[in-house]
Short mmCIF file of all heavy atoms in Angstrom, two decimals:
data_model
loop_
_atom_site.label_atom_id
_atom_site.label_comp_id
_atom_site.label_asym_id
_atom_site.label_seq_id
_atom_site.Cartn_x
_atom_site.Cartn_y
_atom_site.Cartn_z
N ALA A 33 -91.96 -117.41 56.04
CA ALA A 33 -91.67 -118.62 56.78
C ALA A 33 -92.89 -119.06 57.62
O ALA A 33 -93.23 -120.20 57.60
CB ALA A 33 -90.44 -118.39 57.69
N LYS A 34 -93.54 -118.10 58.29
CA LYS A 34 -94.76 -118.41 59.03
C LYS A 34 -95.85 -118.84 58.14
O LYS A 34 -96.55 -119.83 58.50
CB LYS A 34 -95.16 -117.18 59.88
CG LYS A 34 -94.13 -116.77 60.92
CD LYS A 34 -94.54 -115.44 61.57
CE LYS A 34 -93.53 -115.03 62.60
NZ LYS A 34 -93.84 -113.70 63.25
N LEU A 35 -95.96 -118.23 57.03
CA LEU A 35 -96.95 -118.55 56.11
C LEU A 35 -96.80 -120.02 55.65
O LEU A 35 -97.83 -120.84 55.61
CB LEU A 35 -96.91 -117.63 54.85
CG LEU A 35 -97.85 -117.95 53.62
CD1 LEU A 35 -99.31 -117.90 54.07
CD2 LEU A 35 -97.59 -117.10 52.48
N ILE A 36 -95.62 -120.40 55.29
CA ILE A 36 -95.35 -121.79 54.82
C ILE A 36 -95.70 -122.76 55.95
O ILE A 36 -96.38 -123.84 55.72
CB ILE A 36 -93.86 -121.96 54.44
CG1 ILE A 36 -93.60 -121.11 53.14
CG2 ILE A 36 -93.55 -123.42 54.23
CD1 ILE A 36 -94.19 -121.59 51.89
N ALA A 37 -95.29 -122.49 57.18
CA ALA A 37 -95.50 -123.31 58.29
C ALA A 37 -96.99 -123.51 58.60
O ALA A 37 -97.44 -124.70 58.62
CB ALA A 37 -94.84 -122.84 59.53
N PHE A 38 -97.73 -122.44 58.71
CA PHE A 38 -99.16 -122.50 59.01
C PHE A 38 -99.96 -123.13 57.86
O PHE A 38 -100.86 -123.96 58.05
CB PHE A 38 -99.76 -121.17 59.27
CG PHE A 38 -99.46 -120.62 60.65
CD1 PHE A 38 -98.65 -119.53 60.93
CD2 PHE A 38 -100.01 -121.32 61.71
CE1 PHE A 38 -98.35 -119.11 62.14
CE2 PHE A 38 -99.72 -120.82 63.04
CZ PHE A 38 -98.93 -119.72 63.29
N TYR A 39 -99.56 -122.83 56.56
CA TYR A 39 -100.31 -123.41 55.49
C TYR A 39 -100.09 -124.99 55.47
O TYR A 39 -101.13 -125.69 55.30
CB TYR A 39 -99.79 -122.82 54.22
CG TYR A 39 -100.46 -123.44 53.03
CD1 TYR A 39 -101.80 -123.12 52.68
CD2 TYR A 39 -99.87 -124.34 52.18
CE1 TYR A 39 -102.42 -123.71 51.62
CE2 TYR A 39 -100.46 -124.98 51.07
CZ TYR A 39 -101.79 -124.63 50.81
OH TYR A 39 -102.46 -125.19 49.78
N LEU A 40 -98.89 -125.45 55.69
CA LEU A 40 -98.67 -126.89 55.69
C LEU A 40 -99.37 -127.61 56.79
O LEU A 40 -99.96 -128.62 56.63
CB LEU A 40 -97.10 -127.18 55.76
CG LEU A 40 -96.25 -126.82 54.48
CD1 LEU A 40 -94.87 -126.99 54.78
CD2 LEU A 40 -96.82 -127.59 53.33
N VAL A 41 -99.33 -126.93 58.01
CA VAL A 41 -99.99 -127.59 59.18
C VAL A 41 -101.53 -127.73 58.93
O VAL A 41 -102.00 -128.81 59.11
CB VAL A 41 -99.73 -126.77 60.46
CG1 VAL A 41 -100.71 -127.23 61.63
CG2 VAL A 41 -98.28 -126.91 60.87
N PHE A 42 -102.17 -126.67 58.50
CA PHE A 42 -103.63 -126.76 58.36
C PHE A 42 -104.03 -127.55 57.13
O PHE A 42 -105.07 -128.19 57.08
CB PHE A 42 -104.11 -125.34 58.27
CG PHE A 42 -104.23 -124.70 59.68
CD1 PHE A 42 -103.33 -123.69 59.98
CD2 PHE A 42 -105.13 -125.09 60.66
CE1 PHE A 42 -103.36 -123.08 61.28
CE2 PHE A 42 -105.17 -124.52 61.89
CZ PHE A 42 -104.30 -123.53 62.19
N THR A 43 -103.21 -127.60 56.09
CA THR A 43 -103.51 -128.31 54.85
C THR A 43 -103.40 -129.86 55.19
O THR A 43 -104.31 -130.67 54.92
CB THR A 43 -102.56 -127.98 53.73
OG1 THR A 43 -102.79 -126.61 53.43
CG2 THR A 43 -102.88 -128.91 52.54
N VAL A 44 -102.30 -130.24 55.84
CA VAL A 44 -102.09 -131.64 56.19
C VAL A 44 -103.21 -132.10 57.17
O VAL A 44 -103.80 -133.18 57.06
CB VAL A 44 -100.71 -131.92 56.77
CG1 VAL A 44 -100.57 -133.25 57.30
CG2 VAL A 44 -99.66 -131.70 55.74
N PHE A 45 -103.50 -131.27 58.20
CA PHE A 45 -104.58 -131.59 59.08
C PHE A 45 -105.95 -131.82 58.36
O PHE A 45 -106.59 -132.81 58.59
CB PHE A 45 -104.75 -130.54 60.15
CG PHE A 45 -105.97 -130.68 61.08
CD1 PHE A 45 -105.91 -131.69 62.09
CD2 PHE A 45 -107.09 -130.02 60.84
CE1 PHE A 45 -106.97 -131.88 62.85
CE2 PHE A 45 -108.23 -130.17 61.68
CZ PHE A 45 -108.17 -131.16 62.77
N GLY A 46 -106.25 -130.90 57.45
CA GLY A 46 -107.49 -131.04 56.70
C GLY A 46 -107.58 -132.29 55.86
O GLY A 46 -108.60 -133.01 55.69
N LEU A 47 -106.39 -132.69 55.23
CA LEU A 47 -106.37 -133.83 54.45
C LEU A 47 -106.45 -135.12 55.25
O LEU A 47 -107.02 -136.11 54.74
CB LEU A 47 -105.06 -133.88 53.61
CG LEU A 47 -104.93 -132.76 52.49
CD1 LEU A 47 -103.50 -132.81 51.95
CD2 LEU A 47 -105.92 -132.98 51.43
N LEU A 48 -105.92 -135.11 56.46
CA LEU A 48 -105.92 -136.37 57.19
C LEU A 48 -107.14 -136.54 58.14
O LEU A 48 -107.43 -137.66 58.58
CB LEU A 48 -104.64 -136.43 58.08
CG LEU A 48 -103.35 -136.44 57.37
CD1 LEU A 48 -102.15 -136.50 58.36
CD2 LEU A 48 -103.19 -137.66 56.35
N TYR A 49 -107.82 -135.42 58.38
CA TYR A 49 -109.02 -135.50 59.27
C TYR A 49 -110.21 -135.86 58.43
O TYR A 49 -110.94 -135.04 57.86
CB TYR A 49 -109.22 -134.11 59.85
CG TYR A 49 -110.23 -134.07 61.10
CD1 TYR A 49 -110.06 -135.06 62.12
CD2 TYR A 49 -111.20 -133.25 61.10
CE1 TYR A 49 -110.94 -135.10 63.20
CE2 TYR A 49 -112.14 -133.22 62.24
CZ TYR A 49 -111.96 -134.10 63.28
OH TYR A 49 -112.81 -134.10 64.29
N ARG A 50 -110.52 -137.19 58.33
CA ARG A 50 -111.43 -137.71 57.36
C ARG A 50 -112.77 -137.81 58.11
O ARG A 50 -113.16 -138.70 58.83
CB ARG A 50 -111.04 -139.16 56.90
CG ARG A 50 -109.66 -139.20 56.27
CD ARG A 50 -109.49 -138.22 55.16
NE ARG A 50 -110.46 -138.49 54.08
CZ ARG A 50 -110.22 -139.30 53.08
NH1 ARG A 50 -109.11 -139.92 53.00
NH2 ARG A 50 -111.12 -139.48 52.12
N VAL A 51 -113.57 -136.74 57.82
CA VAL A 51 -115.00 -136.70 58.28
C VAL A 51 -115.89 -136.38 57.08
O VAL A 51 -115.37 -136.00 56.04
CB VAL A 51 -115.15 -135.69 59.40
CG1 VAL A 51 -114.41 -136.11 60.70
CG2 VAL A 51 -114.60 -134.28 59.01
N THR A 52 -117.21 -136.44 57.31
CA THR A 52 -118.07 -136.22 56.19
C THR A 52 -118.08 -134.78 55.72
O THR A 52 -118.26 -134.52 54.53
CB THR A 52 -119.57 -136.55 56.68
OG1 THR A 52 -119.86 -135.82 57.81
CG2 THR A 52 -119.67 -138.06 56.88
N ASP A 53 -117.78 -133.83 56.57
CA ASP A 53 -117.66 -132.46 56.23
C ASP A 53 -116.23 -132.00 56.13
O ASP A 53 -115.91 -130.88 56.53
CB ASP A 53 -118.52 -131.52 57.06
CG ASP A 53 -118.11 -131.60 58.51
OD1 ASP A 53 -117.41 -132.56 58.89
OD2 ASP A 53 -118.55 -130.73 59.30
N GLN A 54 -115.35 -132.85 55.59
CA GLN A 54 -113.95 -132.57 55.51
C GLN A 54 -113.55 -131.23 54.89
O GLN A 54 -112.64 -130.57 55.32
CB GLN A 54 -113.22 -133.71 54.78
CG GLN A 54 -111.76 -133.58 54.75
CD GLN A 54 -111.09 -134.72 53.96
OE1 GLN A 54 -111.78 -135.39 53.14
NE2 GLN A 54 -109.78 -134.97 54.22
N PHE A 55 -114.39 -130.87 53.89
CA PHE A 55 -114.08 -129.64 53.12
C PHE A 55 -114.12 -128.43 54.16
O PHE A 55 -113.35 -127.47 53.87
CB PHE A 55 -115.15 -129.36 52.07
CG PHE A 55 -116.59 -129.18 52.70
CD1 PHE A 55 -117.06 -127.97 53.01
CD2 PHE A 55 -117.40 -130.30 52.86
CE1 PHE A 55 -118.28 -127.76 53.55
CE2 PHE A 55 -118.70 -130.18 53.43
CZ PHE A 55 -119.19 -128.87 53.74
N ALA A 56 -114.83 -128.43 55.24
CA ALA A 56 -114.82 -127.36 56.09
C ALA A 56 -113.52 -127.09 56.80
O ALA A 56 -113.16 -125.95 57.22
CB ALA A 56 -116.01 -127.57 57.19
N PHE A 57 -112.73 -128.12 56.91
CA PHE A 57 -111.49 -128.07 57.61
C PHE A 57 -110.35 -127.59 56.66
O PHE A 57 -109.17 -127.53 57.05
CB PHE A 57 -111.07 -129.36 58.21
CG PHE A 57 -111.98 -129.73 59.36
CD1 PHE A 57 -113.16 -130.47 59.07
CD2 PHE A 57 -111.81 -129.34 60.65
CE1 PHE A 57 -114.05 -130.79 60.08
CE2 PHE A 57 -112.67 -129.65 61.65
CZ PHE A 57 -113.85 -130.37 61.42
N PHE A 58 -110.72 -127.33 55.37
CA PHE A 58 -109.73 -126.75 54.52
C PHE A 58 -109.79 -125.12 54.51
O PHE A 58 -109.01 -124.55 54.02
CB PHE A 58 -109.98 -127.16 53.02
CG PHE A 58 -109.82 -128.64 52.77
CD1 PHE A 58 -110.60 -129.26 51.81
CD2 PHE A 58 -108.85 -129.33 53.51
CE1 PHE A 58 -110.48 -130.60 51.62
CE2 PHE A 58 -108.68 -130.65 53.25
CZ PHE A 58 -109.46 -131.32 52.27
N LEU A 59 -110.81 -124.63 55.22
CA LEU A 59 -111.03 -123.17 55.14
C LEU A 59 -109.83 -122.40 55.77
O LEU A 59 -109.46 -121.37 55.21
CB LEU A 59 -112.30 -122.84 55.90
CG LEU A 59 -113.55 -123.40 55.24
CD1 LEU A 59 -114.83 -123.02 56.04
CD2 LEU A 59 -113.73 -122.95 53.83
N ILE A 60 -109.24 -122.87 56.88
CA ILE A 60 -108.18 -122.13 57.42
C ILE A 60 -106.97 -122.25 56.55
O ILE A 60 -106.20 -121.26 56.37
CB ILE A 60 -107.87 -122.67 58.85
CG1 ILE A 60 -109.07 -122.52 59.81
CG2 ILE A 60 -106.65 -121.93 59.46
CD1 ILE A 60 -108.86 -123.02 61.15
N SER A 61 -106.81 -123.35 55.87
CA SER A 61 -105.68 -123.50 54.88
C SER A 61 -105.89 -122.43 53.84
O SER A 61 -104.93 -121.87 53.36
CB SER A 61 -105.71 -124.94 54.34
OG SER A 61 -105.00 -125.10 53.23
N HIS A 62 -107.13 -122.24 53.40
CA HIS A 62 -107.41 -121.28 52.37
C HIS A 62 -107.08 -119.86 52.80
O HIS A 62 -106.74 -119.03 51.95
CB HIS A 62 -108.92 -121.40 51.91
CG HIS A 62 -109.18 -122.62 51.21
ND1 HIS A 62 -110.48 -123.02 50.87
CD2 HIS A 62 -108.44 -123.61 50.73
CE1 HIS A 62 -110.50 -124.17 50.22
NE2 HIS A 62 -109.17 -124.57 50.05
#
Side-chain angles (χ1 to χ4, degrees):
K34 294 174 184 176
L35 172 65
I36 294 290
F38 280 115
Y39 179 75
L40 289 177
V41 167
F42 285 106
T43 300
V44 171
F45 173 76
L47 291 172
L48 297 180
Y49 194 52
R50 305 306 299 272
V51 292
T52 53
D53 57 347
Q54 184 182 17
F55 63 90
F57 294 90
F58 295 148
L59 296 179
I60 300 179
S61 166
H62 290 172

